[in-house]
Amino acid sequence: MSVIKPYRHLSKQEIEAQALSVIKWVQEKRTRPLKWPLDAGYIAEALGLDMDCGNIPADQQGEIAAMILPTQRKIILNERSLAMPKGFEESCISHEIGHWQLHIDHNQLNQQEVPFLCRAINNVQGIEWQAQYFASCLLMPRFKLEEFKKGRNLTKWPHLYALAEDLGVTISNLTYRLQQLEWIKIPKGTKEIYRGDAYPG
């Protein structure tokens, strides 16, 4: 048996529910409410994962932003990721938490190590898309987006940048999340923002 579960399709709803269950589980262990921007490193440690930072060499597919070593219960952030825009580090850690929650068979952690890698690339598919969507749901749960968007127009870039700052995420992660929720639409190759079919209030 492998430490990595066989691939299976997961709906957005399933992934979002898993992210919310992590938030709820961590919150139940605390006496004070979790705060946003969410500290992904704290969430990882609450799940029993160690955090480390080091030099992760690029491979044939390019730069590696972070990785998780499941049998060691450790997330390693590439030290070069620290130079990336604010919010990138939290996204990388949350991505690896996504792998931990969605793709690791916790009953097989005595098996040979198979690291999961997080890359700074677009158009991810399969389990990488699932882990990235989990990261978006963890850092930007719908209930927090509803709270933080009050008094803001999501079709205006200055309002989106302010929202990204409040949530501690990159603007690209925020716009991706809002488009996945169908709150906004940004036609490819443009900077125009339109209301999506599910635009709130």
Side-chain angles (χ1 to χ4, degrees):
M1 294 290 290
S2 170
V3 70
I4 302 171
K5 295 176 182 176
Y7 173 76
R8 75 177 183 90
H9 171 77
L10 295 171
S11 70
K12 291 179 186 176
Q13 291 79 10
E14 288 177 275
I15 296 170
E16 189 157 13
Q18 291 240 27
L20 283 174
S21 72
V22 167
I23 292 170
K24 183 180 178 184
W25 185 84
V26 173
Q27 181 59 73
E28 287 172 350
K29 306 289 182 193
R30 293 170 52 88
T31 55
R32 296 181 180 177
L34 283 168
K35 291 184 179 180
W36 268 259
L38 192 64
D39 181 344
Y42 173 81
I43 300 296
E45 289 172 359
L47 293 170
L49 299 169
D50 290 331
M51 298 292 304
D52 203 352
C53 187
N55 178 28
I56 305 175
D59 64 10
Q60 301 90 340
Q61 297 180 52
E63 195 69 24
I64 298 166
M67 66 181 178
I68 185 169
L69 304 174
T71 64
Q72 297 179 43
R73 297 174 178 263
K74 181 183 285 188
I75 293 173
I76 301 175
L77 188 69
N78 192 331
E79 59 193 18
R80 291 186 296 285
S81 297
L82 301 177
M84 298 296 284
K86 185 179 177 182
F88 184 78
E89 177 181 341
E90 302 302 323
S91 178
C92 291
I93 295 168
S94 298
H95 180 102
E96 299 306 332
I97 294 171
H99 282 313
W100 177 255
Q101 291 297 122
L102 303 174
H103 305 130
I104 303 299
D105 185 342
H106 296 181
N107 296 319
Q108 300 295 328
L109 290 177
N110 60 341
Q111 301 296 315
Q112 184 176 355
E113 189 67 89
V114 179
F116 267 109
L117 310 176
C118 172
R119 299 179 184 278
I121 58 173
N122 296 320
N123 301 320
V124 291
Q125 298 176 341
I127 61 173
E128 291 305 312
W129 178 87
Q130 292 175 355
Q132 195 55 40
Y133 192 73
F134 178 97
S136 295
C137 295
L138 186 69
L139 296 174
M140 297 170 278
R142 198 180 301 240
F143 71 92
K144 275 294 163 187
L145 287 170
E146 289 277 3
E147 177 187 328
F148 280 51
K149 77 166 182 58
K150 289 176 183 172
R152 291 185 168 137
N153 183 341
L154 301 182
T155 64
K156 304 291 184 191
W157 282 108
H159 291 233
L160 290 183
Y161 275 99
L163 183 56
E165 180 75 20
D166 286 349
L167 291 165
V169 297
T170 65
I171 191 66
S172 60
N173 279 349
L174 175 65
T175 55
Y176 174 81
R177 173 77 166 132
L178 294 178
Q179 288 182 91
Q180 289 291 312
L181 289 171
E182 297 182 9
W183 287 12
I184 63 171
K185 294 177 184 176
I186 305 175
K188 196 168 183 179
T190 77
K191 290 287 187 181
E192 298 296 321
I193 310 170
Y194 301 94
R195 287 178 177 234
D197 295 336
Y199 193 92

